[in-house]
């Protein structure tokens, strides 16, 4: 079994005692190493499977690891704990969170639930959400939790800073609301487990004894809270094996701390470091390009990917006049490859820096009839009908979840008005009880009078369903909710396409519940709700379907495709203007790592494209070729110079996409945009006749508030404004109106 591993993989498998850092380059077979290591521990070292833990980030990765371990180990494999960070913490907290003062049947709040709580918090604190967005408060709180900063500690640190003091007040109120609802958000799952371990030596010791051998996948993506969790678990036996690649650390915006992997040897001075540098995925040319790009980063551990695969084709680099031409070329190139029998649609992926870049590709795929799918769209569990039915299940499972109760109190409509609900809420706050318990006592609330009659049927229904939880499977319970509430019957009465689509979604939820009932050894309603809450968006990527995949580079990590198109490789797009203008050089290094991830997704064919000009936020931007492309040696690139219209045919694809009867948006004709609407600006009122005066002329050096210094290349007079073209030192050429630009001569 082990002779099929290369020498470094074998070394990683056989090193079982003490701290171990495996630096696993892209496509180097890290999952294979982890699974074989688990087998070696059991078969050769005599370790009880019960004492082995393998932990990762996504359900998909955990499922793949579990499947491989089961196949290799056979009997006893089920005792190995293979799980995600969040699922691990849920299991621990379900058993012991009562020691922190919570009920064990707590609810897990998703993003929408958090937003609802935050709206209520801001309303209570009389915060103007037009000025201070709920989302920004949630971001601050999440970042604090990633660093294990409690609301109390955040408050102490905020002293003297008015903005931070406001954030601290929101943080405290938000946590109080979650506590009252017996709910945790995703960050709390990790935070509360760390808190439990720190506060209860007995619980910590029991899990340290249980997990004597710990393996952590994708270690470069861990945040401070996850680092502390693993450190605590491994504190007794220190048999900790972490696998990761600092060159693929791209989730700083989610709280990932690259220092966890870069400083591993400082935390564990006796750690052994093994590098997996042989790549089994890509051609030599693709790997050489990736190595040359990432070598420009300073904050990294030295390593270089190599392969026994063929040299392969050179990287196809194409520069176009506009984003429209770029999209036309890529879609046509994919179609040609499929028609010539060189690949299938499912072999192709278009990767880009931001979600907004997908529009042009989508339009052309629609025109050409090519099947495609965007990864990272609306999640199945975020759809209204699904959230409604899950809210019923949550209410039945945990009546202390106010959000779930309030979501479905009038679904279907029961005629319970906002005033009545407001009075129930006031009573709940006054009596320090949950919203649902207040509903149960509606007859005792003097302010709602006869409205209590409308509340009683809802309470009776929930209580009846609760009495059946013990006797019905999750799918049966769900079907009874659907039938008794008339949810589907109401949709059928609508008799619309949208209603039919929603019914299909409900059918799928029932199928999901049935599958859970069949596959889970001891299915429970709480377990089903946990499984639903822990599904990540990327886990929903279907396999085996023949369609082109469109996704951001962040979503592409961990995937591979025979044909990859990296689109929009321009300074200003990738790396972004924000990164280029940042004072922190680490921001540019993270963008370079993202580029490295993109390049290493390609197996046999890589195409990199960019555009000389692109319409962004209604403005034409002139961008230079990305500095990352320039870091690839010329001998690895196959270039085609393209200026003007593409003469290679296919007029249909070159046309701007539009619906029948609609007008062509001038955004699609970027090269003639100014000729179509010369120098018009909405900033001038019709009454305004005065013309601005410029303090600079062509050739002068000027400074822009955002883009820095540059040279004025051209000034064109038009109406009441001037169109100024400036070649900026850092961000390339931009064309703008003088009144908006507010350029200062330097």
């Amino acid at each position: 079994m082990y002779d099929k591993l290369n020498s470094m993989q074998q070394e990683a498998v056989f090193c079982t005692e003490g701290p171990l850092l495996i630096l696993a380059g892209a496509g180097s077979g890290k999952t294979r190493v982890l699974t074989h290591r688990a087998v070696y521990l059991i078969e050769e070292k005599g370790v009880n499977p019960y004492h082995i833990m393998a932990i990762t980030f996504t359900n998909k990765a955990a499922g793949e690891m579990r499947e491989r371990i089961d196949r290799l180990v056979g009997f006893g494999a089920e005792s190995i704990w293979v799980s995600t960070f969040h699922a691990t913490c849920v299991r621990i907290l379900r058993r012991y969170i009562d020691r922190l003062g919570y009920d064990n049947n707590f609810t897990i709040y998703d993003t929408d639930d958090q937003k609802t709580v935050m709206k209520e918090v801001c309303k209570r604190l009389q915060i103007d959400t037009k000025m201070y967005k709920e989302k920004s408060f949630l971001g601050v709180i999440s970042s604090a939790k990633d660093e294990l900063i409690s609301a109390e500690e955040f408050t102490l640190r905020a002293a003297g800073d008015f903005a931070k003091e406001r954030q601290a007040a929101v943080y405290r109120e938000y946590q109080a609301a979650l506590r009252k609802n017996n709910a945790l958000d995703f960050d709390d799952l990790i935070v509360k487990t760390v808190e439990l371990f720190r506060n209860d030596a007995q619980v910590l010791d029991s899990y340290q004894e249980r997990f004597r051998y710990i393996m952590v996948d994708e270690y470069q993506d861990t945040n401070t809270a996850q680092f502390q969790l693993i450190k605590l678990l491994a504190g007794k036996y220190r048999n900790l094996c972490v696998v990761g690649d600092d060159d693929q650390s791209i989730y700083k915006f989610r709280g990932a701390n690259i220092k966890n992997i870069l400083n591993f040897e400082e935390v564990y001075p006796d750690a052994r470091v093994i590098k997996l540098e042989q790549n089994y995925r890509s051609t030599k040319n693709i790997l050489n390009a990736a190595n040359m790009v990432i070598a420009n980063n300073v904050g990294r551990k030295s390593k270089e990917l190599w392969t026994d695969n063929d040299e392969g084709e050179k990287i196809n680099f194409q520069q176009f006049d506009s984003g429209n031409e770029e999209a036309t070329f890529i879609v046509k190139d994919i179609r040609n490859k499929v028609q010539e029998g060189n690949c299938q649609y499912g072999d192709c992926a278009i990767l880009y820096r931001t979600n907004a870049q997908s529009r042009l590709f989508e339009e052309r795929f629609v025109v050409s009839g090519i099947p495609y799918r965007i990864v990272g769209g609306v999640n199945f569990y975020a759809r209204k009908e699904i959230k409604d039915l899950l809210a019923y299940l949550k209410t039945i499972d945990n009546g202390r979840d106010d959000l779930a109760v309030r979501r479905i109190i009038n679904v279907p409509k029961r005629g319970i008005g906002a005033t009545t609900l407001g009075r129930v809420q006031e009573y709940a706050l006054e009596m320090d009880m949950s919203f649902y318990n207040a509903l149960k006592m509606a007859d005792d609330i003097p302010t709602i009078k006869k409205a209590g009659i409308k509340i009683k049927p809802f309470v009776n229904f929930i209580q009846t369903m609760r009495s059946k939880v013990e006797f019905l499977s999750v799918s049966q319970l769900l079907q009874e909710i659907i039938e008794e509430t008339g949810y589907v019957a109401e949709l059928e009465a609508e008799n619309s396409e949208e209603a039919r689509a929603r019914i299909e979604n409900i059918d799928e939820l029932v199928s999901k519940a049935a599958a859970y009932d069949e596959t889970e050894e001891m299915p429970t309603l709480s377990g089903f709700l946990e499984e639903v809450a822990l599904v990540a968006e990327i886990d929903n990527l279907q396999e085996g379907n023949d369609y082109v995949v469109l996704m951001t580079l962040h979503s592409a990590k961990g995937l591979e495709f025979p044909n990859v198109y990296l689109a929009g490789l321009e300074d200003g797009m990738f790396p972004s203007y924000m990164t280029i203008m940042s004072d922190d050089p680490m921001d540019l290094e993270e963008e370079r790592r993202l580029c490295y991830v993109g390049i290493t997704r390609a197996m046999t064919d890589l195409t990199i494209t960019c555009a000389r000009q692109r319409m962004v936020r209604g403005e034409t931007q002139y961008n230079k070729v990305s500095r990352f492309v320039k870091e690839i040696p010329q001998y690895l690139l196959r270039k085609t110079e393209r200026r003007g219209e593409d003469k290679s045919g296919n007029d249909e694809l070159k046309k701007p996409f539009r619906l029948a009867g609609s007008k062509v948006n001038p955004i699609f004709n970027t090269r003639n945009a100014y000729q179509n609407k010369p120098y018009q600006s909405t900033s001038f009122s019709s009454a305004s006749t005065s013309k601005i005066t410029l303090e600079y002329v062509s050739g002068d050096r000027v400074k822009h508030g955002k883009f820095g210094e540059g040279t004025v290349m051209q000034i064109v007079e038009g109406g009441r404004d001037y169109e100024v073209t400036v070649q900026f030192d850092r961000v390339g050429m931009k064309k703008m109106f003088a009144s908006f630009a507010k350029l200062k001569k330097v």
Side-chain angles (χ1 to χ4, degrees), residues 199-228:
N199 293 347
D200 198 312
Q202 183 184 10
V203 173
L204 174 60
D205 185 68
S206 70
Y207 281 103
Q208 287 177 336
E209 282 295 328
R210 167 81 193 266
F211 304 127
R212 300 184 184 185
Y213 292 85
I214 300 173
M215 295 183 286
V216 185
D217 193 13
E218 303 288 5
Y219 191 67
Q220 76 282 347
D221 294 335
T222 55
N223 58 35
T224 300
Q226 289 160 339
F227 164 77
Q228 288 295 338

Side-chain angles (χ1 to χ4, degrees), residues 145-172:
K145 289 181 179 180
D146 284 346
E147 296 298 318
L148 291 174
I149 299 171
S150 66
E152 292 71 28
E153 185 179 347
F154 193 97
T155 301
L156 291 173
R157 295 187 183 189
D161 186 323
F162 179 74
K164 281 189 167 32
E165 285 178 344
R166 184 192 298 110
Q167 292 169 354
V170 171
Y171 189 180
R172 291 194 305 273

Side-chain angles (χ1 to χ4, degrees), residues 35 38 49 52-56 58-70 77-85 87-88 91 210-211 215:
T35 52
I52 301 173
M53 169 191 240
I55 194 165
T56 187
T58 67
N59 294 316
K60 183 178 180 181
E64 181 183 348
M65 197 181 300
R66 162 61 70 192
E67 186 180 322
R68 290 201 197 183
I69 288 175
D70 289 351
E78 69 279 356
S79 298
I80 300 176
W81 188 307
V82 182
S83 182
T84 64
F85 273 98
T88 293
R91 287 177 67 178
R210 167 81 193 266
F211 304 127
M215 295 183 286

Side-chain angles (χ1 to χ4, degrees), residues 620-633:
T620 301
Q621 285 188 358
Y622 293 82
N623 297 323
K624 299 176 182 178
V625 175
S626 171
R627 61 196 65 199
F628 301 149
V629 175
K630 293 177 181 178
E631 290 168 357
I632 301 174

Side-chain angles (χ1 to χ4, degrees), residues 249-253 256 258 297-299 353 554 574-595 627-628:
S249 179
I250 58 172
Y251 294 125
K252 182 181 177 183
F253 68 99
I258 193 173
N297 272 5
V298 175
R353 181 64 183 84
H554 282 101
F574 187 31
S576 65
Y577 281 124
M578 189 180 298
T579 302
I580 293 171
M581 304 298 288
S582 173
D583 294 328
D584 186 355
M586 291 300 102
D587 290 342
L588 185 60
E589 295 216 346
E590 175 137 345
E591 287 282 285
R592 186 175 283 110
R593 291 195 293 270
L594 193 58
C595 183
R627 61 196 65 199
F628 301 149

